[in-house]
Amino acid sequence: MKSVIPREVETLWTLFTAPTVWALHFIVCYVVMAIYCAKPGIYGLGFNDFRWGLVVFTLLALGFIVFAGYLAWRQWGFGSDDPPHDAATGQDRRLFQGFATLLLSGLSFVAVIYTAIPLIILAECQT
Amino acid sequence: MCDDRLTGRSRPTRSPVNCRLPLAVLLSGLGLSSCTGVQSALDPAGSEAEAVATLFWAMVAGGGVIWLIVVGAVIYASRLKKKPMSESGASRVIFFGGVAFPVVVLAFLLAYAVWLMPAMRPWFGGEGEGLRRIEVTAEQYWWRVRYLDSTGAVVRETANEVHMPVGERVLFLLKAKDVIHSFWIPSIGGKMDAIPGRTNALQLEATRPGTYRGVCAEFCGTAHALMAFSVQALEPEAFEDWLAARPGEVPVASVEPVASGQPRGLNLFLRHGCGSCHAISGTPADGALGPDLTAFGSRPTVAAGTLPNTPENLARFIQYPDAIKPGVRMPGFAMLPAADVSAIALYLKGLE
Protein backbone atom coordinates (compact mmCIF):
# COMPACT_ATOMS: atom_id res chain seq x y z
CA MET A 1 0.00 0.00 0.00
CA LYS A 2 1.32 3.38 -0.91
CA SER A 3 1.34 5.85 1.92
CA VAL A 4 0.83 9.59 1.60
CA ILE A 5 3.59 10.20 4.13
CA PRO A 6 6.74 8.33 3.09
CA ARG A 7 7.53 5.45 5.41
CA GLU A 8 11.28 5.77 5.13
CA VAL A 9 12.38 9.12 6.52
CA GLU A 10 16.09 9.10 7.28
CA THR A 11 16.15 12.30 9.25
CA LEU A 12 16.34 13.27 12.91
CA TRP A 13 14.00 16.22 12.46
CA THR A 14 10.84 14.21 12.98
CA LEU A 15 12.01 13.71 16.57
CA PHE A 16 11.40 17.38 17.33
CA THR A 17 7.98 17.78 15.71
CA ALA A 18 5.92 17.52 18.88
CA PRO A 19 8.20 19.66 21.10
CA THR A 20 8.21 22.28 18.32
CA VAL A 21 4.40 22.36 18.35
CA TRP A 22 4.53 22.67 22.15
CA ALA A 23 6.96 25.61 21.91
CA LEU A 24 4.88 27.36 19.25
CA HIS A 25 1.69 26.86 21.23
CA PHE A 26 3.34 28.25 24.36
CA ILE A 27 4.66 31.33 22.56
CA VAL A 28 1.40 32.04 20.76
CA CYS A 29 -0.68 31.70 23.96
CA TYR A 30 1.56 34.00 25.95
CA VAL A 31 2.12 36.59 23.22
CA VAL A 32 -1.56 36.80 22.26
CA MET A 33 -2.68 37.23 25.87
CA ALA A 34 0.13 39.69 26.61
CA ILE A 35 -0.92 41.83 23.65
CA TYR A 36 -4.59 41.65 24.59
CA CYS A 37 -3.92 42.55 28.23
CA ALA A 38 -1.70 45.48 27.21
CA LYS A 39 -4.20 46.72 24.62
CA PRO A 40 -7.68 45.62 25.66
CA GLY A 41 -10.24 45.66 22.87
CA ILE A 42 -7.63 45.40 20.11
CA TYR A 43 -9.27 44.60 16.68
CA GLY A 44 -12.62 45.10 18.43
CA LEU A 45 -12.39 41.67 20.04
CA GLY A 46 -13.13 40.85 23.65
CA PHE A 47 -11.25 38.72 26.15
CA ASN A 48 -13.43 35.68 25.51
CA ASP A 49 -12.91 35.89 21.74
CA PHE A 50 -9.17 35.57 22.30
CA ARG A 51 -9.77 32.85 24.86
CA TRP A 52 -11.89 30.81 22.47
CA GLY A 53 -9.42 31.42 19.66
CA LEU A 54 -6.63 30.03 21.80
CA VAL A 55 -8.76 27.07 22.88
CA VAL A 56 -9.29 26.19 19.20
CA PHE A 57 -5.57 26.71 18.59
CA THR A 58 -4.86 24.40 21.53
CA LEU A 59 -7.09 21.69 20.04
CA LEU A 60 -5.31 22.07 16.68
CA ALA A 61 -1.93 21.76 18.40
CA LEU A 62 -3.09 18.67 20.31
CA GLY A 63 -4.40 17.16 17.06
CA PHE A 64 -1.08 17.80 15.35
CA ILE A 65 0.81 16.22 18.25
CA VAL A 66 -1.47 13.16 18.12
CA PHE A 67 -0.78 12.90 14.39
CA ALA A 68 2.99 13.17 14.95
CA GLY A 69 2.64 10.59 17.71
CA TYR A 70 0.81 8.24 15.34
CA LEU A 71 3.61 8.55 12.78
CA ALA A 72 6.13 7.83 15.54
CA TRP A 73 4.12 4.83 16.67
CA ARG A 74 4.17 3.58 13.10
CA GLN A 75 7.93 4.18 12.86
CA TRP A 76 8.27 2.17 16.07
CA GLY A 77 6.45 -0.66 14.31
CA PHE A 78 3.34 -0.22 16.54
CA GLY A 79 5.27 -1.71 19.43
CA SER A 80 6.13 -4.93 17.62
CA ASP A 81 9.57 -4.96 19.19
CA ASP A 82 10.49 -4.07 22.76
CA PRO A 83 13.07 -1.42 23.69
CA PRO A 84 15.94 -0.76 24.18
CA HIS A 85 16.69 -1.06 20.39
CA ASP A 86 20.40 -0.72 20.99
CA ALA A 87 21.81 -2.89 18.22
CA ALA A 88 23.99 -1.14 15.60
CA THR A 89 21.53 -1.71 12.77
CA GLY A 90 19.41 0.59 10.64
CA GLN A 91 16.32 -1.25 11.85
CA ASP A 92 17.08 -0.60 15.52
CA ARG A 93 17.98 3.02 14.82
CA ARG A 94 14.57 3.58 13.23
CA LEU A 95 12.75 1.79 16.03
CA PHE A 96 14.69 3.75 18.64
CA GLN A 97 13.89 7.05 16.97
CA GLY A 98 10.25 6.08 16.62
CA PHE A 99 9.99 5.16 20.29
CA ALA A 100 11.78 8.36 21.42
CA THR A 101 9.52 10.44 19.21
CA LEU A 102 6.45 8.73 20.64
CA LEU A 103 7.54 9.51 24.21
CA LEU A 104 8.29 13.14 23.31
CA SER A 105 4.84 13.40 21.70
CA GLY A 106 3.28 12.22 24.94
CA LEU A 107 5.27 14.77 26.94
CA SER A 108 4.34 17.56 24.54
CA PHE A 109 0.66 16.57 24.65
CA VAL A 110 0.59 16.91 28.44
CA ALA A 111 2.62 20.14 28.32
CA VAL A 112 0.22 21.77 25.85
CA ILE A 113 -2.71 20.87 28.12
CA TYR A 114 -0.91 22.38 31.14
CA THR A 115 -0.18 25.55 29.19
CA ALA A 116 -3.87 25.80 28.34
CA ILE A 117 -5.23 25.26 31.87
CA PRO A 118 -5.02 28.99 32.82
CA LEU A 119 -6.98 29.79 29.63
CA ILE A 120 -9.89 27.78 30.95
CA ILE A 121 -9.79 29.07 34.53
CA LEU A 122 -8.68 32.70 34.36
CA ALA A 123 -11.31 35.02 32.98
CA GLU A 124 -9.57 38.40 33.31
CA CYS A 125 -6.32 40.16 32.69
CA GLN A 126 -4.41 41.00 35.82
CA THR A 127 -3.46 44.61 36.16
CA MET B 1 2.94 45.13 70.54
CA CYS B 2 6.63 44.53 70.94
CA ASP B 3 9.02 46.90 69.23
CA ASP B 4 11.87 44.43 69.33
CA ARG B 5 9.96 42.00 67.20
CA LEU B 6 9.37 44.61 64.55
CA THR B 7 13.03 45.41 64.14
CA GLY B 8 14.46 41.92 63.90
CA ARG B 9 18.00 43.08 64.60
CA SER B 10 20.19 42.94 67.66
CA ARG B 11 21.84 46.18 68.68
CA PRO B 12 23.87 47.40 71.63
CA THR B 13 20.91 49.10 73.31
CA ARG B 14 19.15 45.81 73.79
CA SER B 15 19.12 43.90 77.04
CA PRO B 16 21.66 41.06 77.38
CA VAL B 17 18.85 38.51 77.22
CA ASN B 18 18.42 39.31 73.56
CA CYS B 19 21.95 38.11 72.81
CA ARG B 20 20.47 34.66 72.95
CA LEU B 21 17.94 35.63 70.30
CA PRO B 22 19.70 33.93 67.36
CA LEU B 23 19.71 30.63 69.23
CA ALA B 24 16.09 31.07 70.22
CA VAL B 25 15.16 31.85 66.63
CA LEU B 26 17.05 28.78 65.46
CA LEU B 27 15.28 26.55 67.96
CA SER B 28 11.85 28.01 67.36
CA GLY B 29 12.46 27.56 63.64
CA LEU B 30 12.37 23.83 64.29
CA GLY B 31 8.86 23.98 65.62
CA LEU B 32 5.58 25.35 64.44
CA SER B 33 5.89 28.21 66.93
CA SER B 34 7.79 30.11 64.25
CA CYS B 35 4.69 30.09 62.10
CA THR B 36 3.08 32.81 64.20
CA GLY B 37 4.17 36.38 64.72
CA VAL B 38 4.18 39.80 63.14
CA GLN B 39 5.68 38.62 59.88
CA SER B 40 4.29 35.23 58.95
CA ALA B 41 2.38 34.24 55.87
CA LEU B 42 1.20 31.19 57.80
CA ASP B 43 -0.52 33.29 60.45
CA PRO B 44 -2.69 35.24 58.02
CA ALA B 45 -4.35 38.53 58.96
CA GLY B 46 -5.50 39.40 55.46
CA SER B 47 -7.70 37.80 52.82
CA GLU B 48 -4.83 37.45 50.32
CA ALA B 49 -2.55 35.90 52.95
CA GLU B 50 -5.34 33.47 53.82
CA ALA B 51 -5.44 32.31 50.20
CA VAL B 52 -1.66 31.90 50.21
CA ALA B 53 -1.78 29.93 53.47
CA THR B 54 -4.60 27.73 52.14
CA LEU B 55 -2.60 26.94 49.01
CA PHE B 56 0.50 26.27 51.11
CA TRP B 57 -1.27 23.80 53.40
CA ALA B 58 -3.00 22.09 50.46
CA MET B 59 0.39 21.63 48.80
CA VAL B 60 2.00 20.43 52.04
CA ALA B 61 -0.81 17.91 52.60
CA GLY B 62 -0.63 16.70 48.99
CA GLY B 63 3.15 16.47 49.12
CA GLY B 64 2.94 14.61 52.43
CA VAL B 65 0.54 12.01 51.02
CA ILE B 66 2.74 11.46 47.96
CA TRP B 67 5.82 11.19 50.19
CA LEU B 68 4.09 8.51 52.27
CA ILE B 69 3.12 6.58 49.13
CA VAL B 70 6.65 6.73 47.70
CA VAL B 71 8.34 5.77 50.99
CA GLY B 72 5.76 3.03 51.48
CA ALA B 73 6.53 1.67 48.01
CA VAL B 74 10.25 1.75 48.75
CA ILE B 75 9.78 -0.16 52.00
CA TYR B 76 7.47 -2.63 50.28
CA ALA B 77 9.90 -3.20 47.41
CA SER B 78 13.04 -3.42 49.51
CA ARG B 79 11.82 -5.21 52.63
CA LEU B 80 8.51 -6.96 52.13
CA LYS B 81 8.49 -8.25 48.58
CA LYS B 82 10.82 -11.21 48.23
CA LYS B 83 10.42 -12.13 44.56
CA PRO B 84 11.06 -9.80 41.59
CA MET B 85 8.09 -8.48 39.66
CA SER B 86 7.23 -9.66 36.18
CA GLU B 87 8.44 -7.35 33.42
CA SER B 88 4.93 -6.44 32.26
CA GLY B 89 3.90 -5.75 35.86
CA ALA B 90 6.91 -3.49 36.30
CA SER B 91 6.03 -1.64 33.09
CA ARG B 92 2.51 -1.08 34.41
CA VAL B 93 3.89 0.29 37.71
CA ILE B 94 6.17 2.65 35.80
CA PHE B 95 3.39 3.83 33.50
CA PHE B 96 0.73 4.37 36.15
CA GLY B 97 3.02 5.40 39.03
CA GLY B 98 5.55 7.34 37.01
CA VAL B 99 3.47 8.86 34.21
CA ALA B 100 -0.30 8.75 34.71
CA PHE B 101 -0.34 9.57 38.44
CA PRO B 102 1.99 12.60 38.32
CA VAL B 103 0.28 13.95 35.20
CA VAL B 104 -3.15 13.83 36.83
CA VAL B 105 -1.99 15.11 40.23
CA LEU B 106 0.02 17.98 38.71
CA ALA B 107 -2.92 18.92 36.49
CA PHE B 108 -5.18 19.15 39.56
CA LEU B 109 -2.61 21.11 41.61
CA LEU B 110 -1.99 23.50 38.71
CA ALA B 111 -5.71 24.02 38.17
CA TYR B 112 -6.24 24.57 41.91
CA ALA B 113 -3.38 27.10 42.14
CA VAL B 114 -4.60 28.99 39.07
CA TRP B 115 -8.15 28.91 40.42
CA LEU B 116 -6.94 30.42 43.72
CA MET B 117 -5.02 33.19 41.95
CA PRO B 118 -7.86 35.74 41.86
CA ALA B 119 -8.08 35.44 45.66
CA MET B 120 -4.33 36.01 46.02
CA ARG B 121 -4.12 38.85 43.51
CA PRO B 122 -7.52 40.41 43.08
CA TRP B 123 -8.08 42.55 40.04
CA PHE B 124 -11.76 43.32 40.45
CA GLY B 125 -12.79 46.08 38.09
CA GLY B 126 -9.38 46.25 36.47
CA GLU B 127 -7.74 49.31 38.01
CA GLY B 128 -9.39 49.12 41.40
CA GLU B 129 -11.57 52.20 40.96
CA GLY B 130 -13.22 53.50 44.08
CA LEU B 131 -10.81 51.84 46.45
CA ARG B 132 -8.90 53.73 49.10
CA ARG B 133 -5.46 54.47 47.71
CA ILE B 134 -2.15 54.52 49.52
CA GLU B 135 0.91 55.49 47.50
CA VAL B 136 4.09 53.80 48.64
CA THR B 137 7.41 54.94 47.20
CA ALA B 138 10.37 52.71 47.92
CA GLU B 139 13.71 54.48 48.23
CA GLN B 140 17.12 53.25 49.37
CA TYR B 141 16.40 52.23 52.18
CA TRP B 142 13.06 53.41 53.43
CA TRP B 143 9.39 53.75 52.46
CA ARG B 144 7.55 56.98 51.70
CA VAL B 145 3.86 56.43 52.44
CA ARG B 146 1.19 58.84 51.21
CA TYR B 147 -2.52 58.54 51.85
CA LEU B 148 -4.50 59.85 48.91
CA ASP B 149 -8.08 61.06 48.78
CA SER B 150 -10.47 60.31 45.92
CA THR B 151 -9.01 63.16 43.83
CA GLY B 152 -5.47 61.90 44.26
CA ALA B 153 -4.42 64.68 46.66
CA VAL B 154 -2.15 63.74 49.55
CA VAL B 155 -4.10 63.63 52.82
CA ARG B 156 -1.27 62.54 55.04
CA GLU B 157 2.34 61.54 54.53
CA THR B 158 4.42 59.33 56.78
CA ALA B 159 7.41 57.05 56.39
CA ASN B 160 8.16 53.45 57.26
CA GLU B 161 4.74 52.83 58.73
CA VAL B 162 1.53 51.82 57.01
CA HIS B 163 -1.85 52.25 58.61
CA MET B 164 -4.73 50.43 57.00
CA PRO B 165 -8.35 49.81 57.93
CA VAL B 166 -9.57 46.32 58.71
CA GLY B 167 -12.24 44.84 56.44
CA GLU B 168 -11.67 47.29 53.61
CA ARG B 169 -9.85 46.62 50.39
CA VAL B 170 -6.97 49.05 49.93
CA LEU B 171 -5.15 49.78 46.68
CA PHE B 172 -1.43 50.25 47.17
CA LEU B 173 0.22 52.21 44.36
CA LEU B 174 3.82 51.05 44.40
CA LYS B 175 6.60 53.24 43.05
CA ALA B 176 10.37 53.21 43.34
CA LYS B 177 12.76 56.14 43.25
CA ASP B 178 16.10 54.51 42.51
CA VAL B 179 16.25 50.73 42.05
CA ILE B 180 13.76 47.87 42.06
CA HIS B 181 12.31 47.12 45.49
CA SER B 182 9.52 44.79 46.52
CA PHE B 183 6.69 45.56 48.92
CA TRP B 184 5.66 42.64 51.10
CA ILE B 185 3.52 42.35 54.22
CA PRO B 186 3.57 38.55 54.68
CA SER B 187 0.78 38.54 57.27
CA ILE B 188 -1.60 40.40 54.97
CA GLY B 189 -0.84 39.34 51.43
CA GLY B 190 1.55 38.59 48.63
CA LYS B 191 4.44 40.76 47.51
CA MET B 192 4.79 43.00 44.51
CA ASP B 193 7.79 44.74 42.98
CA ALA B 194 8.16 48.51 43.03
CA ILE B 195 9.89 49.48 39.80
CA PRO B 196 11.36 52.90 38.90
CA GLY B 197 9.22 54.67 36.29
CA ARG B 198 6.22 52.44 36.87
CA THR B 199 3.24 52.39 39.20
CA ASN B 200 2.26 48.89 40.23
CA ALA B 201 -1.12 48.34 41.84
CA LEU B 202 -1.50 45.86 44.68
CA GLN B 203 -4.78 45.26 46.46
CA LEU B 204 -4.71 44.11 50.05
CA GLU B 205 -7.37 43.58 52.67
CA ALA B 206 -6.56 43.24 56.34
CA THR B 207 -9.00 41.02 58.23
CA ARG B 208 -7.62 41.17 61.77
CA PRO B 209 -6.54 44.28 63.70
CA GLY B 210 -2.97 44.23 64.87
CA THR B 211 0.60 45.26 64.27
CA TYR B 212 2.52 43.51 61.54
CA ARG B 213 5.87 43.83 59.84
CA GLY B 214 6.48 44.48 56.18
CA VAL B 215 9.77 44.17 54.36
CA CYS B 216 11.57 44.92 51.14
CA ALA B 217 11.62 41.58 49.36
CA GLU B 218 13.93 42.40 46.45
CA PHE B 219 17.62 42.99 47.05
CA CYS B 220 18.13 46.73 46.65
CA GLY B 221 21.57 47.45 48.10
CA THR B 222 23.70 47.22 51.22
CA ALA B 223 20.93 47.97 53.72
CA HIS B 224 18.29 45.94 51.91
CA ALA B 225 17.74 43.73 54.95
CA LEU B 226 17.20 46.86 57.08
CA MET B 227 14.41 48.23 54.92
CA ALA B 228 11.31 47.23 56.83
CA PHE B 229 8.15 48.97 57.96
CA SER B 230 5.46 48.51 60.53
CA VAL B 231 1.87 47.92 59.59
CA GLN B 232 -1.03 48.89 61.82
CA ALA B 233 -4.31 47.29 60.86
CA LEU B 234 -6.91 49.42 62.63
CA GLU B 235 -10.66 49.23 63.08
CA PRO B 236 -12.26 51.50 60.45
CA GLU B 237 -13.19 54.26 62.95
CA ALA B 238 -9.72 54.23 64.50
CA PHE B 239 -8.22 54.44 61.02
CA GLU B 240 -10.39 57.40 60.07
CA ASP B 241 -9.41 59.14 63.31
CA TRP B 242 -5.76 58.52 62.61
CA LEU B 243 -6.06 59.75 59.03
CA ALA B 244 -7.98 62.86 60.04
CA ALA B 245 -5.50 63.79 62.78
CA ARG B 246 -3.25 66.68 61.81
CA PRO B 247 -0.28 66.22 64.11
CA GLY B 248 1.39 69.50 63.20
CA GLU B 249 -1.59 71.65 64.07
CA VAL B 250 -1.57 70.81 67.74
CA PRO B 251 1.31 71.96 69.92
CA VAL B 252 4.02 69.34 70.11
CA ALA B 253 4.17 67.43 73.38
CA SER B 254 7.84 68.03 73.94
CA VAL B 255 9.58 67.12 77.14
CA GLU B 256 12.16 69.81 76.46
CA PRO B 257 11.78 73.33 77.81
CA VAL B 258 10.39 75.81 75.33
CA ALA B 259 12.70 78.67 74.36
CA SER B 260 11.79 81.57 72.08
CA GLY B 261 8.44 80.01 71.33
CA GLN B 262 9.96 76.78 70.03
CA PRO B 263 11.13 73.62 71.75
CA ARG B 264 14.92 73.54 72.04
CA GLY B 265 15.06 70.30 70.11
CA LEU B 266 13.18 71.87 67.20
CA ASN B 267 15.49 74.88 67.28
CA LEU B 268 18.51 72.61 67.03
CA PHE B 269 16.78 70.48 64.39
CA LEU B 270 16.30 73.56 62.22
CA ARG B 271 19.68 75.17 62.99
CA HIS B 272 21.64 72.07 62.02
CA GLY B 273 19.84 71.78 58.71
CA CYS B 274 17.80 68.65 59.40
CA GLY B 275 14.79 70.43 57.92
CA SER B 276 16.32 70.59 54.47
CA CYS B 277 15.79 66.84 54.08
CA HIS B 278 13.07 66.07 56.63
CA ALA B 279 9.63 67.60 56.97
CA ILE B 280 7.72 68.00 60.22
CA SER B 281 4.21 69.22 59.62
CA GLY B 282 3.45 72.44 61.49
CA THR B 283 7.09 73.56 61.63
CA PRO B 284 9.35 75.33 59.10
CA ALA B 285 10.98 71.96 58.37
CA ASP B 286 9.72 70.99 54.93
CA GLY B 287 12.48 68.93 53.30
CA ALA B 288 11.22 66.24 50.95
CA LEU B 289 14.40 64.25 50.37
CA GLY B 290 14.27 62.07 53.46
CA PRO B 291 11.50 60.51 55.50
CA ASP B 292 8.74 62.78 56.78
CA LEU B 293 9.15 62.93 60.56
CA THR B 294 5.69 64.20 61.47
CA ALA B 295 4.40 62.30 64.51
CA PHE B 296 7.68 60.44 64.60
CA GLY B 297 7.31 59.58 68.29
CA SER B 298 4.35 57.31 67.57
CA ARG B 299 6.36 55.11 65.21
CA PRO B 300 7.48 51.83 66.67
CA THR B 301 10.91 51.80 65.05
CA VAL B 302 13.87 53.92 63.99
CA ALA B 303 15.59 53.68 60.59
CA ALA B 304 12.91 51.71 58.72
CA GLY B 305 12.34 48.85 61.14
CA THR B 306 15.99 48.60 62.21
CA LEU B 307 15.89 49.61 65.89
CA PRO B 308 13.18 50.11 68.52
CA ASN B 309 12.15 53.75 68.69
CA THR B 310 13.91 55.01 71.83
CA PRO B 311 15.65 58.40 72.27
CA GLU B 312 18.97 56.57 72.76
CA ASN B 313 18.69 54.62 69.49
CA LEU B 314 17.54 57.76 67.70
CA ALA B 315 20.52 59.75 69.02
CA ARG B 316 22.85 56.99 67.91
CA PHE B 317 21.31 56.96 64.46
CA ILE B 318 21.66 60.75 64.15
CA GLN B 319 25.34 60.48 65.04
CA TYR B 320 26.30 57.32 63.13
CA PRO B 321 23.58 56.46 60.60
CA ASP B 322 25.98 54.52 58.40
CA ALA B 323 27.04 52.27 61.28
CA ILE B 324 23.45 51.26 61.88
CA LYS B 325 22.36 51.22 58.26
CA PRO B 326 25.20 50.74 55.76
CA GLY B 327 24.76 52.81 52.62
CA VAL B 328 22.14 55.14 54.09
CA ARG B 329 21.94 58.51 52.34
CA MET B 330 21.76 60.53 55.57
CA PRO B 331 25.11 62.00 56.63
CA GLY B 332 26.31 61.43 60.18
CA PHE B 333 26.11 64.22 62.76
CA ALA B 334 28.74 62.93 65.18
CA MET B 335 30.34 66.40 65.22
CA LEU B 336 27.37 67.87 67.08
CA PRO B 337 27.58 68.16 70.88
CA ALA B 338 26.04 65.07 72.46
CA ALA B 339 23.60 67.26 74.38
CA ASP B 340 22.29 68.75 71.14
CA VAL B 341 21.79 65.32 69.59
CA SER B 342 19.93 64.13 72.70
CA ALA B 343 17.75 67.22 72.62
CA ILE B 344 16.85 66.58 68.98
CA ALA B 345 16.19 62.91 69.71
CA LEU B 346 13.98 63.76 72.70
CA TYR B 347 12.11 66.33 70.64
CA LEU B 348 11.47 63.84 67.83
CA LYS B 349 10.46 61.13 70.26
CA GLY B 350 7.96 63.58 71.76
CA LEU B 351 6.20 64.17 68.42
CA GLU B 352 2.90 62.32 68.64
Side-chain angles (χ1 to χ4, degrees):
Chain A
M1 194 187 89
K2 190 161 166 34
S3 173
V4 183
I5 308 273
R7 283 176 182 273
E8 303 286 326
V9 186
E10 281 291 337
T11 171
L12 260 184
W13 289 108
T14 55
L15 192 64
F16 310 118
T17 313
T20 306
V21 173
W22 166 19
L24 273 176
H25 174 263
F26 185 92
I27 289 173
V28 167
C29 283
Y30 274 72
V31 168
V32 165
M33 273 306 160
I35 291 174
Y36 176 77
C37 289
K39 300 180 173 180
I42 191 170
Y43 304 129
L45 296 171
F47 186 84
N48 281 336
D49 299 325
F50 279 93
R51 224 167 141 203
W52 278 114
L54 287 179
V55 166
V56 170
F57 180 67
T58 300
L59 293 177
L60 285 175
L62 289 176
F64 200 84
I65 288 172
V66 167
F67 178 61
Y70 172 79
L71 292 184
W73 191 29
R74 192 182 66 176
Q75 190 183 11
W76 187 40
F78 299 105
S80 58
D81 194 8
D82 280 338
H85 314 300
D86 52 358
T89 61
Q91 167 76 356
D92 259 26
R93 193 164 65 240
R94 270 193 301 282
L95 291 180
F96 176 82
Q97 192 189 338
F99 187 51
T101 311
L102 182 62
L103 292 181
L104 279 175
S105 302
L107 176 70
S108 305
F109 189 86
V110 172
V112 165
I113 290 178
Y114 282 10
T115 308
I117 282 178
L119 278 177
I120 299 162
I121 297 171
L122 293 184
E124 279 264 16
C125 291
Q126 186 179 351
T127 53
Chain B
M1 186 194 74
C2 172
D3 291 350
D4 289 8
R5 296 167 73 204
L6 283 170
T7 60
R9 189 147 198 244
S10 58
R11 278 283 150 192
T13 48
R14 291 196 164 180
S15 62
V17 177
N18 280 335
C19 298
R20 294 189 207 122
L21 191 65
L23 183 66
V25 167
L26 196 68
L27 289 177
S28 67
L30 299 172
L32 279 175
S33 57
S34 62
C35 293
T36 59
V38 292
Q39 188 190 324
S40 174
L42 299 181
D43 184 15
S47 49
E48 286 76 26
E50 272 158 28
V52 172
T54 305
L55 181 63
F56 174 81
W57 289 117
M59 293 283 177
V60 166
V65 169
I66 290 171
W67 184 82
L68 284 176
I69 291 172
V70 171
V71 170
V74 167
I75 292 171
Y76 173 76
S78 61
R79 294 291 161 102
L80 302 177
K81 193 164 168 59
K82 302 295 179 197
K83 277 192 281 185
M85 239 177 171
S86 73
E87 202 158 312
S88 62
S91 296
R92 269 202 302 279
V93 169
I94 290 172
F95 179 77
F96 285 105
V99 179
F101 180 72
V103 164
V104 172
V105 169
L106 285 177
F108 272 108
L109 285 181
L110 176 63
Y112 177 61
V114 173
W115 175 75
L116 261 184
M117 263 180 72
M120 282 188 261
R121 270 296 149 77
W123 53 90
F124 308 122
E127 307 292 326
E129 288 92 356
L131 296 181
R132 183 187 299 282
R133 284 175 296 164
I134 302 177
E135 183 192 275
V136 176
T137 309
E139 310 190 12
Q140 282 173 327
Y141 302 93
W142 60 284
W143 306 87
R144 189 190 294 275
V145 184
R146 288 179 168 142
Y147 299 81
L148 309 179
D149 65 12
S150 52
T151 63
V154 178
V155 178
R156 185 163 177 181
E157 177 169 341
T158 68
N160 305 324
E161 54 166 0
V162 168
H163 288 71
M164 60 192 290
V166 167
E168 183 188 330
R169 197 156 277 288
V170 175
L171 184 69
F172 285 93
L173 300 170
L174 305 176
K175 298 177 173 182
K177 192 183 176 191
D178 30 45
V179 298
I180 297 177
H181 303 267
S182 186
F183 176 87
W184 190 23
I185 313 169
S187 302
I188 294 182
K191 67 185 112 175
M192 185 175 273
D193 279 6
I195 300 169
R198 271 186 66 97
T199 301
N200 284 343
L202 173 68
Q203 293 184 24
L204 293 177
E205 182 186 6
T207 51
R208 186 154 51 86
T211 301
Y212 309 102
R213 187 174 190 264
V215 293
C216 177
E218 177 79 45
F219 182 75
C220 59
T222 42
H224 158 68
L226 303 175
M227 182 173 168
F229 55 98
S230 65
V231 180
Q232 308 266 5
L234 303 170
E235 294 293 353
E237 311 84 56
F239 176 78
E240 291 299 342
D241 289 348
W242 178 86
L243 193 61
R246 294 283 184 277
E249 288 170 9
V250 292
V252 288
S254 176
V255 293
E256 282 291 294
V258 173
S260 69
Q262 278 181 338
R264 181 163 167 265
L266 176 58
N267 262 333
L268 292 165
F269 185 90
L270 296 172
R271 187 168 0 126
H272 293 304
C274 308
S276 54
C277 288
H278 296 285
I280 300 174
S281 159
T283 74
D286 59 355
L289 218 59
D292 190 307
L293 298 179
T294 308
F296 181 82
S298 61
R299 290 182 201 166
T301 65
V302 178
T306 307
L307 296 173
N309 189 355
T310 64
E312 297 77 38
N313 285 337
L314 189 50
R316 204 172 126 71
F317 186 76
I318 293 168
Q319 288 173 308
Y320 308 104
D322 201 62
I324 290 168
K325 240 181 140 166
V328 70
R329 295 275 159 86
M330 175 166 149
F333 288 85
M335 68 291 191
L336 297 185
D340 285 10
V341 174
S342 310
I344 293 173
L346 276 174
Y347 163 71
L348 290 173
K349 181 62 188 164
L351 292 173
E352 296 284 348

